[in-house]
Amino acid sequence: MKKVAVYPGTFDPITFGHIDVIKKALKLFDKVIIAASDGTNKNYFFNSVERIEIIKKALFFDLKFDKKKIEIISFTSLTTDLCKKYKSNIILRGLRAVSDFEY
């Protein structure tokens, strides 16, 4: 059975911290779903189409990551619903500060 991890976030824009989490995840999991949130409760710097294109360019063109192991999507649902859809029980998150851990 494939190990699939879901990495939800705004990725507005994608950062070196995001990329570091993705690099590490690719060593542990068969597939990583990068899910850019498209909820209406935030004011995004880039719209979802632009964010998806920036992520694709960074990962596939600049860094040459394996397209077979990564899927990049936008989503508006609950993260748990997204995990059910992709049959994943793994959610990736990066922690920047103690406040992130407490949240």
Side-chain angles (χ1 to χ4, degrees), residues 2 11 36-37 44 49 55 75 82 89:
K2 278 187 153 185
F11 304 100
S37 174
Y44 297 109
V49 174
I55 295 167
F75 76 107
L82 191 64
N89 60 358

Side-chain angles (χ1 to χ4, degrees), residues 6-18:
V6 174
Y7 188 16
T10 58
F11 304 100
D12 190 31
I14 192 167
T15 65
F16 289 121
H18 294 129

